[in-house]
Amino acid sequence: MQESDNDITRTPSATTPLIVPRPEHGISRANISANALKVLYRLKQENFQAHLVGGGVRDLLLGHEPKDFDVATDATPEQVRQVFRNCRLIGRRFRLAHVHFGRDIIEVATFRGNGESEAEEGERCVENGMIVRDNAYGTIAEDALRRDFTINALYYNIQDFSLIDYADGLADLRAGKLRLIGDPEQRYREDPVRMLRAVRFACKLGFSIEEATERPLFELGHLLDGVPAARLFDELIKLFHAGYGLDVFEKLRHYGLFALLFPDTEAALACEDHDFPITLVSRGLANTDARIQAGKPVTPAFLFAVLLWEPVRAGVERMVAEGMQINEAMTQVSAEVCVRQQSRVAVPKRFSLPMREIWALQPRFEQREGKRPFRLLTHPRFRAAYDFLLLRAEAGEVDRELAEWWTRFQDASGQERASMVEGGARRRRPRRRRRRKSGAASSNGGGESSAGAAKGAQ
Ligand code: ATP
Ligand code: MG
C-alpha cells in the first residue's frame, strides 16, 4: 500500500471515508480472479455499484493469495439474479447471491443497513442482542460499519479502481492489528462467531488482537452456546483446516473458548497427570497443518477423531478396567462422547461415522496373528486408522514397535507378510496364556492400555 502522507493522517468515518486512488494502492486487476472481475464489470454495466470487499481486498493488500473473492453491491439479491443466469440465492438469515462459474463461486452480498427505516422493519431481527436475521439493505457506508473487523471493511471500487476505507482499516492493516468495528462486546453479542473469527484472523495473518477487541474473548465464550451447532461445525473447519490449526488450538485454549466447544476434551486434558494427550492433539493438528501446506487432502473425520480422542481413550480405559470388553467399551464410549459433542458442534454423519471407525479400528492393530492383519489391511478405513495409530505412537500412547510393524507389513510382499504374521503369532502365544490367567479385563488385545500389550508382543 502506498497512500500519500496526507491520506494516512486522516481518520475516516462513516460519512467521509478515506479514498485511496488507483495509483496509490497496490491492488492490481491482474491479481483478481477473472470470474470476480466478470461479476464486477457486469454489475457496473447494469448501472449498479460493485466492489470487491472483505478477505479478497485484505489479502491482496497484504500480498497474500486470497482464498475467495466477495463482491458487495447496491443491487438486491433478486436484481443480481436477473443479471446473472448462473446465479442462485442462498441463506435465510443472511440472504446472498452465489454466481457460479463451474466449481468457482463468487459471493455477491447486497449492502446491509441498520434496518431502521420503516420499509426495512422485520428485515433485520435482533433477539437478546443477537442478530438472527440481517436482510435490511442500506448504503455502502452502513454496510462498512456492520462488517466485523476494520481490515475486513475495505472496498475496491470497480468504477474507478479506488480503495474505500470507512473504518480505519488501512491503518490497522499496516499496524498488524485486528480491531472490531464499534463496541466489541455488543458486536460479539450480535454474533458470537466473531470471537472465533478473531482467533482465525489472528492466526491466519499473524496479527495481534487490539486490547478492547481481545478482552471480551476471555469473558463472553459462553455466548457460543447460542450459536447453531451446524454453523459452529462450518466455522471449526475454517479454523482447523487452513494450515495453522495448532496455533488456533493454543489460542482457543488461551481464551477459554476451546472448553466451550469441546468440553469433554478440555476436561480430559485438564485432569491428565502425564502429557501424552495434549501431545496427541498437538501432533495431530501439526500433522494436519503439514498436510495442508503440502497440498495433501485432509478430512474432518480425522480432525474430529483427533480433537475428541482423549475423552474416548480415557473413558474406554476406565470401562476396560471395570471389566468391559474393549470393543464394547469403545462402541459405548464413542457413542456417548458423540452425543454430548453433537449438541455443541454438529458433525455431519458422513464425517462422524468414519471418525468412529478410526477409533474402533485402534484395538485391532494389536491383533497381529492369523488372518486378522490381512483383513484389517483391506478395511476401507485402514489408511486413516493407521495414520491415527502413528499419531498415538508419536505421542507415546502405544509402542513405536507396533506402528513400525504395520508400516512394514503394508509394504511387504505376500511372503514377507506371511512370515511377519507367523513371527507375531509365535511371539504372542505365551503372553496370551499369561493374560487368560490374569482375568477377563485385559484379554482383548488391549487397544487403550496398549503400550504394555504392544511391548509384550515383540
Ligand atoms: P476468508 O474468506 O479469507 O476466510 P473473509 O474476511 O473474506 O476471510 P468471509 O467469511 O469470506 O471472510 O466474509 C467476507 C466478509 O464478510 C468479511 O471480510 C467481513 O467483511 C464480512 N463478514 C463475514 N462474516 C461476518 C460476521 N460474522 N460479522 C460481520 N461481518 C462479517
Ligand atoms: Mg472471503
Side-chain angles (χ1 to χ4, degrees), residues 53-56 58-59 66-68 70 93 107 146-149 151-153 187 191 193-194 197 200-201 204 231 238 244:
V53 68
R58 178 196 68 217
D59 291 349
K67 186 169 70 82
D68 50 36
D70 302 305
R93 197 183 65 84
E107 208 163 88
R146 65 97 203 155
R147 288 182 183 270
D148 48 6
F149 301 97
I151 58 165
N152 285 347
R187 300 308 310 280
D191 182 2
V193 166
R194 289 173 185 152
R197 288 175 63 86
R200 178 152 75 88
F201 294 125
K204 170 178 168 139
R231 188 167 173 222
K238 288 187 204 164
Y244 40 81

PDB file of all heavy atoms in Angstrom, residues 53-56 58-59 66-68 70 93 107 146-149 151-153 187 191 193-194 197 200-201 204 231 238 244, ligand 1:
ATOM      1  N   VAL A  53     -14.733  -6.785  -1.748  1.00  0.00           N
ATOM      2  CA  VAL A  53     -14.699  -6.428  -0.332  1.00  0.00           C
ATOM      3  C   VAL A  53     -14.209  -7.616   0.497  1.00  0.00           C
ATOM      4  O   VAL A  53     -14.159  -8.739  -0.006  1.00  0.00           O
ATOM      5  CB  VAL A  53     -16.115  -5.974   0.131  1.00  0.00           C
ATOM      6  CG1 VAL A  53     -17.104  -7.142   0.127  1.00  0.00           C
ATOM      7  CG2 VAL A  53     -16.073  -5.297   1.496  1.00  0.00           C
ATOM      8  N   GLY A  54     -13.879  -7.347   1.741  1.00  0.00           N
ATOM      9  CA  GLY A  54     -13.560  -8.443   2.674  1.00  0.00           C
ATOM     10  C   GLY A  54     -12.181  -9.031   2.455  1.00  0.00           C
ATOM     11  O   GLY A  54     -11.224  -8.327   2.093  1.00  0.00           O
ATOM     12  N   GLY A  55     -12.119 -10.370   2.634  1.00  0.00           N
ATOM     13  CA  GLY A  55     -10.832 -11.070   2.618  1.00  0.00           C
ATOM     14  C   GLY A  55     -10.038 -10.869   1.332  1.00  0.00           C
ATOM     15  O   GLY A  55      -8.807 -10.831   1.375  1.00  0.00           O
ATOM     16  N   GLY A  56     -10.742 -10.757   0.215  1.00  0.00           N
ATOM     17  CA  GLY A  56     -10.052 -10.587  -1.070  1.00  0.00           C
ATOM     18  C   GLY A  56      -9.198  -9.325  -1.069  1.00  0.00           C
ATOM     19  O   GLY A  56      -8.011  -9.351  -1.420  1.00  0.00           O
ATOM     20  N   ARG A  58      -8.336  -7.451   1.609  1.00  0.00           N
ATOM     21  CA  ARG A  58      -7.363  -7.533   2.717  1.00  0.00           C
ATOM     22  C   ARG A  58      -6.142  -8.345   2.307  1.00  0.00           C
ATOM     23  O   ARG A  58      -5.001  -7.895   2.463  1.00  0.00           O
ATOM     24  CB  ARG A  58      -8.087  -8.210   3.902  1.00  0.00           C
ATOM     25  CG  ARG A  58      -7.250  -8.443   5.136  1.00  0.00           C
ATOM     26  CD  ARG A  58      -7.944  -9.439   6.050  1.00  0.00           C
ATOM     27  NE  ARG A  58      -7.968 -10.768   5.453  1.00  0.00           N
ATOM     28  CZ  ARG A  58      -8.965 -11.628   5.545  1.00  0.00           C
ATOM     29  NH1 ARG A  58     -10.051 -11.328   6.216  1.00  0.00           N
ATOM     30  NH2 ARG A  58      -8.882 -12.815   4.963  1.00  0.00           N
ATOM     31  N   ASP A  59      -6.379  -9.530   1.755  1.00  0.00           N
ATOM     32  CA  ASP A  59      -5.264 -10.414   1.435  1.00  0.00           C
ATOM     33  C   ASP A  59      -4.417  -9.857   0.286  1.00  0.00           C
ATOM     34  O   ASP A  59      -3.198  -9.985   0.300  1.00  0.00           O
ATOM     35  CB  ASP A  59      -5.778 -11.831   1.119  1.00  0.00           C
ATOM     36  CG  ASP A  59      -6.340 -12.526   2.362  1.00  0.00           C
ATOM     37  OD1 ASP A  59      -6.138 -11.992   3.471  1.00  0.00           O
ATOM     38  OD2 ASP A  59      -6.985 -13.569   2.228  1.00  0.00           O
ATOM     39  N   PRO A  66      -5.672 -14.443  -2.123  1.00  0.00           N
ATOM     40  CA  PRO A  66      -6.982 -14.557  -1.465  1.00  0.00           C
ATOM     41  C   PRO A  66      -7.583 -15.955  -1.634  1.00  0.00           C
ATOM     42  O   PRO A  66      -7.380 -16.597  -2.662  1.00  0.00           O
ATOM     43  CB  PRO A  66      -7.848 -13.533  -2.195  1.00  0.00           C
ATOM     44  CG  PRO A  66      -6.897 -12.607  -2.836  1.00  0.00           C
ATOM     45  CD  PRO A  66      -5.683 -13.420  -3.165  1.00  0.00           C
ATOM     46  N   LYS A  67      -8.305 -16.386  -0.579  1.00  0.00           N
ATOM     47  CA  LYS A  67      -8.967 -17.693  -0.604  1.00  0.00           C
ATOM     48  C   LYS A  67     -10.163 -17.612  -1.546  1.00  0.00           C
ATOM     49  O   LYS A  67     -10.457 -18.540  -2.263  1.00  0.00           O
ATOM     50  CB  LYS A  67      -9.405 -18.022   0.823  1.00  0.00           C
ATOM     51  CG  LYS A  67      -9.985 -19.394   0.999  1.00  0.00           C
ATOM     52  CD  LYS A  67     -10.139 -19.706   2.488  1.00  0.00           C
ATOM     53  CE  LYS A  67     -11.197 -18.915   3.156  1.00  0.00           C
ATOM     54  NZ  LYS A  67     -12.515 -19.119   3.188  1.00  0.00           N
ATOM     55  N   ASP A  68     -10.880 -16.517  -1.481  1.00  0.00           N
ATOM     56  CA  ASP A  68     -12.031 -16.316  -2.362  1.00  0.00           C
ATOM     57  C   ASP A  68     -12.264 -14.819  -2.532  1.00  0.00           C
ATOM     58  O   ASP A  68     -11.624 -14.003  -1.856  1.00  0.00           O
ATOM     59  CB  ASP A  68     -13.293 -16.999  -1.803  1.00  0.00           C
ATOM     60  CG  ASP A  68     -13.542 -16.642  -0.357  1.00  0.00           C
ATOM     61  OD1 ASP A  68     -13.276 -15.483   0.043  1.00  0.00           O
ATOM     62  OD2 ASP A  68     -14.007 -17.507   0.404  1.00  0.00           O
ATOM     63  N   ASP A  70     -15.144 -11.830  -2.565  1.00  0.00           N
ATOM     64  CA  ASP A  70     -16.519 -11.457  -2.238  1.00  0.00           C
ATOM     65  C   ASP A  70     -16.815 -10.105  -2.860  1.00  0.00           C
ATOM     66  O   ASP A  70     -15.971  -9.208  -2.879  1.00  0.00           O
ATOM     67  CB  ASP A  70     -16.699 -11.375  -0.715  1.00  0.00           C
ATOM     68  CG  ASP A  70     -16.359 -12.682  -0.034  1.00  0.00           C
ATOM     69  OD1 ASP A  70     -16.947 -13.709  -0.422  1.00  0.00           O
ATOM     70  OD2 ASP A  70     -15.484 -12.693   0.846  1.00  0.00           O
ATOM     71  N   ARG A  93     -31.003 -16.332   6.967  1.00  0.00           N
ATOM     72  CA  ARG A  93     -30.526 -15.396   7.983  1.00  0.00           C
ATOM     73  C   ARG A  93     -29.795 -14.228   7.331  1.00  0.00           C
ATOM     74  O   ARG A  93     -29.914 -13.082   7.732  1.00  0.00           O
ATOM     75  CB  ARG A  93     -29.552 -16.165   8.892  1.00  0.00           C
ATOM     76  CG  ARG A  93     -29.246 -15.537  10.207  1.00  0.00           C
ATOM     77  CD  ARG A  93     -28.212 -16.387  10.923  1.00  0.00           C
ATOM     78  NE  ARG A  93     -26.933 -16.390  10.209  1.00  0.00           N
ATOM     79  CZ  ARG A  93     -26.005 -15.461  10.332  1.00  0.00           C
ATOM     80  NH1 ARG A  93     -26.173 -14.460  11.167  1.00  0.00           N
ATOM     81  NH2 ARG A  93     -24.894 -15.535   9.637  1.00  0.00           N
ATOM     82  N   GLU A 107     -19.366 -14.802  -4.356  1.00  0.00           N
ATOM     83  CA  GLU A 107     -20.442 -14.459  -3.437  1.00  0.00           C
ATOM     84  C   GLU A 107     -20.768 -12.974  -3.590  1.00  0.00           C
ATOM     85  O   GLU A 107     -19.866 -12.142  -3.466  1.00  0.00           O
ATOM     86  CB  GLU A 107     -19.963 -14.755  -2.019  1.00  0.00           C
ATOM     87  CG  GLU A 107     -21.067 -15.084  -1.064  1.00  0.00           C
ATOM     88  CD  GLU A 107     -20.522 -15.756   0.192  1.00  0.00           C
ATOM     89  OE1 GLU A 107     -20.165 -15.031   1.130  1.00  0.00           O
ATOM     90  OE2 GLU A 107     -20.451 -16.988   0.220  1.00  0.00           O
ATOM     91  N   ARG A 146     -21.194  -2.405   9.537  1.00  0.00           N
ATOM     92  CA  ARG A 146     -21.751  -3.623  10.132  1.00  0.00           C
ATOM     93  C   ARG A 146     -20.836  -4.824   9.860  1.00  0.00           C
ATOM     94  O   ARG A 146     -21.099  -5.947  10.278  1.00  0.00           O
ATOM     95  CB  ARG A 146     -23.179  -3.887   9.668  1.00  0.00           C
ATOM     96  CG  ARG A 146     -23.338  -4.172   8.193  1.00  0.00           C
ATOM     97  CD  ARG A 146     -23.405  -5.633   7.896  1.00  0.00           C
ATOM     98  NE  ARG A 146     -23.024  -5.900   6.518  1.00  0.00           N
ATOM     99  CZ  ARG A 146     -22.538  -7.052   6.104  1.00  0.00           C
ATOM    100  NH1 ARG A 146     -22.341  -8.024   6.945  1.00  0.00           N
ATOM    101  NH2 ARG A 146     -22.234  -7.233   4.854  1.00  0.00           N
ATOM    102  N   ARG A 147     -19.752  -4.600   9.170  1.00  0.00           N
ATOM    103  CA  ARG A 147     -18.772  -5.678   8.981  1.00  0.00           C
ATOM    104  C   ARG A 147     -18.018  -5.925  10.281  1.00  0.00           C
ATOM    105  O   ARG A 147     -18.120  -5.132  11.199  1.00  0.00           O
ATOM    106  CB  ARG A 147     -17.837  -5.344   7.809  1.00  0.00           C
ATOM    107  CG  ARG A 147     -18.593  -5.484   6.504  1.00  0.00           C
ATOM    108  CD  ARG A 147     -17.813  -5.236   5.274  1.00  0.00           C
ATOM    109  NE  ARG A 147     -18.732  -5.354   4.150  1.00  0.00           N
ATOM    110  CZ  ARG A 147     -18.967  -6.497   3.509  1.00  0.00           C
ATOM    111  NH1 ARG A 147     -18.315  -7.582   3.822  1.00  0.00           N
ATOM    112  NH2 ARG A 147     -19.854  -6.529   2.528  1.00  0.00           N
ATOM    113  N   ASP A 148     -17.292  -7.021  10.378  1.00  0.00           N
ATOM    114  CA  ASP A 148     -16.710  -7.363  11.678  1.00  0.00           C
ATOM    115  C   ASP A 148     -15.447  -6.554  11.998  1.00  0.00           C
ATOM    116  O   ASP A 148     -15.470  -5.659  12.858  1.00  0.00           O
ATOM    117  CB  ASP A 148     -16.488  -8.885  11.823  1.00  0.00           C
ATOM    118  CG  ASP A 148     -15.785  -9.541  10.639  1.00  0.00           C
ATOM    119  OD1 ASP A 148     -15.351  -8.811   9.719  1.00  0.00           O
ATOM    120  OD2 ASP A 148     -15.648 -10.784  10.639  1.00  0.00           O
ATOM    121  N   PHE A 149     -14.352  -6.816  11.316  1.00  0.00           N
ATOM    122  CA  PHE A 149     -13.085  -6.165  11.658  1.00  0.00           C
ATOM    123  C   PHE A 149     -12.772  -5.037  10.679  1.00  0.00           C
ATOM    124  O   PHE A 149     -13.171  -5.105   9.520  1.00  0.00           O
ATOM    125  CB  PHE A 149     -11.955  -7.199  11.679  1.00  0.00           C
ATOM    126  CG  PHE A 149     -12.227  -8.299  12.663  1.00  0.00           C
ATOM    127  CD1 PHE A 149     -12.778  -9.505  12.259  1.00  0.00           C
ATOM    128  CD2 PHE A 149     -11.991  -8.094  14.017  1.00  0.00           C
ATOM    129  CE1 PHE A 149     -13.080 -10.500  13.177  1.00  0.00           C
ATOM    130  CE2 PHE A 149     -12.281  -9.075  14.950  1.00  0.00           C
ATOM    131  CZ  PHE A 149     -12.833 -10.288  14.529  1.00  0.00           C
ATOM    132  N   ILE A 151     -10.149  -4.327   9.151  1.00  0.00           N
ATOM    133  CA  ILE A 151      -9.379  -4.759   7.974  1.00  0.00           C
ATOM    134  C   ILE A 151     -10.237  -5.540   6.981  1.00  0.00           C
ATOM    135  O   ILE A 151      -9.801  -5.806   5.864  1.00  0.00           O
ATOM    136  CB  ILE A 151      -8.149  -5.613   8.370  1.00  0.00           C
ATOM    137  CG1 ILE A 151      -8.589  -6.840   9.178  1.00  0.00           C
ATOM    138  CG2 ILE A 151      -7.131  -4.792   9.137  1.00  0.00           C
ATOM    139  CD1 ILE A 151      -7.504  -7.899   9.286  1.00  0.00           C
ATOM    140  N   ASN A 152     -11.449  -5.920   7.421  1.00  0.00           N
ATOM    141  CA  ASN A 152     -12.357  -6.647   6.527  1.00  0.00           C
ATOM    142  C   ASN A 152     -13.370  -5.704   5.883  1.00  0.00           C
ATOM    143  O   ASN A 152     -14.293  -6.151   5.201  1.00  0.00           O
ATOM    144  CB  ASN A 152     -13.125  -7.736   7.290  1.00  0.00           C
ATOM    145  CG  ASN A 152     -12.252  -8.930   7.602  1.00  0.00           C
ATOM    146  OD1 ASN A 152     -11.158  -9.045   7.052  1.00  0.00           O
ATOM    147  ND2 ASN A 152     -12.722  -9.804   8.466  1.00  0.00           N
ATOM    148  N   ALA A 153     -13.235  -4.422   6.138  1.00  0.00           N
ATOM    149  CA  ALA A 153     -14.237  -3.458   5.653  1.00  0.00           C
ATOM    150  C   ALA A 153     -13.638  -2.512   4.614  1.00  0.00           C
ATOM    151  O   ALA A 153     -13.998  -1.342   4.539  1.00  0.00           O
ATOM    152  CB  ALA A 153     -14.806  -2.671   6.842  1.00  0.00           C
ATOM    153  N   ARG A 187     -20.753  -6.123  19.561  1.00  0.00           N
ATOM    154  CA  ARG A 187     -20.538  -6.833  18.292  1.00  0.00           C
ATOM    155  C   ARG A 187     -20.407  -8.347  18.496  1.00  0.00           C
ATOM    156  O   ARG A 187     -20.848  -9.130  17.677  1.00  0.00           O
ATOM    157  CB  ARG A 187     -19.291  -6.299  17.570  1.00  0.00           C
ATOM    158  CG  ARG A 187     -19.293  -4.814  17.198  1.00  0.00           C
ATOM    159  CD  ARG A 187     -20.497  -4.325  16.424  1.00  0.00           C
ATOM    160  NE  ARG A 187     -20.919  -5.061  15.251  1.00  0.00           N
ATOM    161  CZ  ARG A 187     -20.386  -4.986  14.024  1.00  0.00           C
ATOM    162  NH1 ARG A 187     -19.365  -4.179  13.808  1.00  0.00           N
ATOM    163  NH2 ARG A 187     -20.863  -5.694  13.030  1.00  0.00           N
ATOM    164  N   ASP A 191     -23.182 -11.389  17.244  1.00  0.00           N
ATOM    165  CA  ASP A 191     -22.795 -12.618  16.547  1.00  0.00           C
ATOM    166  C   ASP A 191     -21.546 -13.199  17.214  1.00  0.00           C
ATOM    167  O   ASP A 191     -20.420 -12.803  16.922  1.00  0.00           O
ATOM    168  CB  ASP A 191     -22.505 -12.315  15.066  1.00  0.00           C
ATOM    169  CG  ASP A 191     -22.150 -13.589  14.312  1.00  0.00           C
ATOM    170  OD1 ASP A 191     -22.172 -14.676  14.917  1.00  0.00           O
ATOM    171  OD2 ASP A 191     -21.852 -13.486  13.103  1.00  0.00           O
ATOM    172  N   VAL A 193     -19.960 -15.791  16.796  1.00  0.00           N
ATOM    173  CA  VAL A 193     -18.972 -16.428  15.909  1.00  0.00           C
ATOM    174  C   VAL A 193     -17.814 -15.470  15.622  1.00  0.00           C
ATOM    175  O   VAL A 193     -16.707 -15.886  15.280  1.00  0.00           O
ATOM    176  CB  VAL A 193     -19.659 -16.925  14.605  1.00  0.00           C
ATOM    177  CG1 VAL A 193     -18.645 -17.280  13.530  1.00  0.00           C
ATOM    178  CG2 VAL A 193     -20.526 -18.134  14.916  1.00  0.00           C
ATOM    179  N   ARG A 194     -18.059 -14.184  15.818  1.00  0.00           N
ATOM    180  CA  ARG A 194     -16.970 -13.213  15.609  1.00  0.00           C
ATOM    181  C   ARG A 194     -15.796 -13.482  16.548  1.00  0.00           C
ATOM    182  O   ARG A 194     -14.655 -13.131  16.234  1.00  0.00           O
ATOM    183  CB  ARG A 194     -17.498 -11.782  15.800  1.00  0.00           C
ATOM    184  CG  ARG A 194     -18.418 -11.369  14.664  1.00  0.00           C
ATOM    185  CD  ARG A 194     -19.096 -10.034  14.889  1.00  0.00           C
ATOM    186  NE  ARG A 194     -20.049  -9.779  13.813  1.00  0.00           N
ATOM    187  CZ  ARG A 194     -21.135  -9.032  13.938  1.00  0.00           C
ATOM    188  NH1 ARG A 194     -21.421  -8.437  15.074  1.00  0.00           N
ATOM    189  NH2 ARG A 194     -21.938  -8.866  12.911  1.00  0.00           N
ATOM    190  N   ARG A 197     -13.842 -15.898  14.706  1.00  0.00           N
ATOM    191  CA  ARG A 197     -13.221 -15.220  13.563  1.00  0.00           C
ATOM    192  C   ARG A 197     -12.006 -14.405  14.027  1.00  0.00           C
ATOM    193  O   ARG A 197     -11.008 -14.322  13.321  1.00  0.00           O
ATOM    194  CB  ARG A 197     -14.244 -14.333  12.840  1.00  0.00           C
ATOM    195  CG  ARG A 197     -15.276 -15.175  12.051  1.00  0.00           C
ATOM    196  CD  ARG A 197     -16.382 -14.326  11.428  1.00  0.00           C
ATOM    197  NE  ARG A 197     -15.928 -13.378  10.432  1.00  0.00           N
ATOM    198  CZ  ARG A 197     -15.752 -13.632   9.132  1.00  0.00           C
ATOM    199  NH1 ARG A 197     -15.985 -14.837   8.667  1.00  0.00           N
ATOM    200  NH2 ARG A 197     -15.355 -12.688   8.305  1.00  0.00           N
ATOM    201  N   ARG A 200      -9.293 -16.805  14.320  1.00  0.00           N
ATOM    202  CA  ARG A 200      -8.895 -17.273  12.986  1.00  0.00           C
ATOM    203  C   ARG A 200      -8.012 -16.244  12.281  1.00  0.00           C
ATOM    204  O   ARG A 200      -6.950 -16.571  11.763  1.00  0.00           O
ATOM    205  CB  ARG A 200     -10.149 -17.552  12.145  1.00  0.00           C
ATOM    206  CG  ARG A 200      -9.832 -17.987  10.720  1.00  0.00           C
ATOM    207  CD  ARG A 200     -10.919 -18.861  10.173  1.00  0.00           C
ATOM    208  NE  ARG A 200     -12.113 -18.129   9.807  1.00  0.00           N
ATOM    209  CZ  ARG A 200     -12.317 -17.585   8.613  1.00  0.00           C
ATOM    210  NH1 ARG A 200     -11.373 -17.663   7.693  1.00  0.00           N
ATOM    211  NH2 ARG A 200     -13.448 -16.970   8.342  1.00  0.00           N
ATOM    212  N   PHE A 201      -8.431 -14.989  12.276  1.00  0.00           N
ATOM    213  CA  PHE A 201      -7.648 -13.987  11.543  1.00  0.00           C
ATOM    214  C   PHE A 201      -6.331 -13.688  12.259  1.00  0.00           C
ATOM    215  O   PHE A 201      -5.319 -13.435  11.604  1.00  0.00           O
ATOM    216  CB  PHE A 201      -8.466 -12.710  11.315  1.00  0.00           C
ATOM    217  CG  PHE A 201      -9.646 -12.930  10.394  1.00  0.00           C
ATOM    218  CD1 PHE A 201     -10.928 -12.597  10.781  1.00  0.00           C
ATOM    219  CD2 PHE A 201      -9.464 -13.486   9.141  1.00  0.00           C
ATOM    220  CE1 PHE A 201     -12.018 -12.813   9.935  1.00  0.00           C
ATOM    221  CE2 PHE A 201     -10.534 -13.717   8.285  1.00  0.00           C
ATOM    222  CZ  PHE A 201     -11.811 -13.382   8.686  1.00  0.00           C
ATOM    223  N   LYS A 204      -4.251 -16.599  11.135  1.00  0.00           N
ATOM    224  CA  LYS A 204      -4.004 -16.608   9.688  1.00  0.00           C
ATOM    225  C   LYS A 204      -3.043 -15.495   9.279  1.00  0.00           C
ATOM    226  O   LYS A 204      -2.139 -15.695   8.485  1.00  0.00           O
ATOM    227  CB  LYS A 204      -5.343 -16.442   8.965  1.00  0.00           C
ATOM    228  CG  LYS A 204      -5.221 -16.188   7.468  1.00  0.00           C
ATOM    229  CD  LYS A 204      -6.588 -16.071   6.799  1.00  0.00           C
ATOM    230  CE  LYS A 204      -6.423 -15.542   5.392  1.00  0.00           C
ATOM    231  NZ  LYS A 204      -7.275 -16.180   4.400  1.00  0.00           N
ATOM    232  N   ARG A 231     -23.553 -24.295  12.291  1.00  0.00           N
ATOM    233  CA  ARG A 231     -22.696 -23.162  11.921  1.00  0.00           C
ATOM    234  C   ARG A 231     -21.327 -23.298  12.601  1.00  0.00           C
ATOM    235  O   ARG A 231     -20.287 -22.973  12.011  1.00  0.00           O
ATOM    236  CB  ARG A 231     -23.387 -21.849  12.332  1.00  0.00           C
ATOM    237  CG  ARG A 231     -22.658 -20.647  11.801  1.00  0.00           C
ATOM    238  CD  ARG A 231     -23.429 -19.362  11.907  1.00  0.00           C
ATOM    239  NE  ARG A 231     -22.578 -18.263  11.514  1.00  0.00           N
ATOM    240  CZ  ARG A 231     -22.529 -17.088  12.138  1.00  0.00           C
ATOM    241  NH1 ARG A 231     -23.332 -16.845  13.156  1.00  0.00           N
ATOM    242  NH2 ARG A 231     -21.706 -16.156  11.728  1.00  0.00           N
ATOM    243  N   LYS A 238     -13.152 -24.094   9.060  1.00  0.00           N
ATOM    244  CA  LYS A 238     -12.346 -22.948   8.595  1.00  0.00           C
ATOM    245  C   LYS A 238     -11.168 -22.709   9.544  1.00  0.00           C
ATOM    246  O   LYS A 238     -10.064 -22.364   9.120  1.00  0.00           O
ATOM    247  CB  LYS A 238     -13.202 -21.681   8.536  1.00  0.00           C
ATOM    248  CG  LYS A 238     -14.195 -21.685   7.400  1.00  0.00           C
ATOM    249  CD  LYS A 238     -14.870 -20.341   7.306  1.00  0.00           C
ATOM    250  CE  LYS A 238     -16.218 -20.446   6.641  1.00  0.00           C
ATOM    251  NZ  LYS A 238     -17.047 -19.261   6.851  1.00  0.00           N
ATOM    252  N   TYR A 244      -3.074 -23.705   9.941  1.00  0.00           N
ATOM    253  CA  TYR A 244      -2.487 -23.173  11.182  1.00  0.00           C
ATOM    254  C   TYR A 244      -3.310 -23.646  12.392  1.00  0.00           C
ATOM    255  O   TYR A 244      -3.535 -22.915  13.358  1.00  0.00           O
ATOM    256  CB  TYR A 244      -2.397 -21.634  11.139  1.00  0.00           C
ATOM    257  CG  TYR A 244      -3.621 -20.975  10.502  1.00  0.00           C
ATOM    258  CD1 TYR A 244      -4.775 -20.774  11.234  1.00  0.00           C
ATOM    259  CD2 TYR A 244      -3.614 -20.583   9.161  1.00  0.00           C
ATOM    260  CE1 TYR A 244      -5.904 -20.202  10.652  1.00  0.00           C
ATOM    261  CE2 TYR A 244      -4.733 -20.010   8.571  1.00  0.00           C
ATOM    262  CZ  TYR A 244      -5.876 -19.825   9.323  1.00  0.00           C
ATOM    263  OH  TYR A 244      -6.982 -19.266   8.745  1.00  0.00           O
TER     264      TYR A 244
HETATM  265  P1  ATP B   1     -11.572 -15.557   4.314  1.00  0.00           P
HETATM  266  O1  ATP B   1     -12.508 -15.699   3.138  1.00  0.00           O
HETATM  267  O2  ATP B   1     -10.168 -15.372   3.953  1.00  0.00           O
HETATM  268  O3  ATP B   1     -11.777 -16.609   5.315  1.00  0.00           O
HETATM  269  P2  ATP B   1     -13.082 -13.187   4.772  1.00  0.00           P
HETATM  270  O4  ATP B   1     -12.773 -11.951   5.572  1.00  0.00           O
HETATM  271  O5  ATP B   1     -13.303 -12.996   3.315  1.00  0.00           O
HETATM  272  O6  ATP B   1     -11.938 -14.203   5.071  1.00  0.00           O
HETATM  273  P3  ATP B   1     -15.703 -14.304   4.780  1.00  0.00           P
HETATM  274  O7  ATP B   1     -16.315 -15.235   5.753  1.00  0.00           O
HETATM  275  O8  ATP B   1     -15.480 -14.744   3.387  1.00  0.00           O
HETATM  276  O9  ATP B   1     -14.343 -13.835   5.424  1.00  0.00           O
HETATM  277  O10 ATP B   1     -16.603 -12.995   4.806  1.00  0.00           O
HETATM  278  C1  ATP B   1     -16.448 -11.953   3.867  1.00  0.00           C
HETATM  279  C2  ATP B   1     -16.618 -10.617   4.569  1.00  0.00           C
HETATM  280  O11 ATP B   1     -17.948 -10.524   5.103  1.00  0.00           O
HETATM  281  C3  ATP B   1     -15.714 -10.381   5.748  1.00  0.00           C
HETATM  282  O12 ATP B   1     -14.470  -9.889   5.352  1.00  0.00           O
HETATM  283  C4  ATP B   1     -16.489  -9.369   6.546  1.00  0.00           C
HETATM  284  O13 ATP B   1     -16.378  -8.086   5.983  1.00  0.00           O
HETATM  285  C5  ATP B   1     -17.923  -9.838   6.348  1.00  0.00           C
HETATM  286  N1  ATP B   1     -18.332 -10.791   7.391  1.00  0.00           N
HETATM  287  C6  ATP B   1     -18.280 -12.131   7.347  1.00  0.00           C
HETATM  288  N2  ATP B   1     -18.738 -12.694   8.466  1.00  0.00           N
HETATM  289  C7  ATP B   1     -19.111 -11.686   9.257  1.00  0.00           C
HETATM  290  C8  ATP B   1     -19.679 -11.594  10.560  1.00  0.00           C
HETATM  291  N3  ATP B   1     -19.944 -12.700  11.259  1.00  0.00           N
HETATM  292  N4  ATP B   1     -19.937 -10.361  11.049  1.00  0.00           N
HETATM  293  C9  ATP B   1     -19.690  -9.258  10.326  1.00  0.00           C
HETATM  294  N5  ATP B   1     -19.149  -9.264   9.128  1.00  0.00           N
HETATM  295  C10 ATP B   1     -18.858 -10.450   8.571  1.00  0.00           C
END
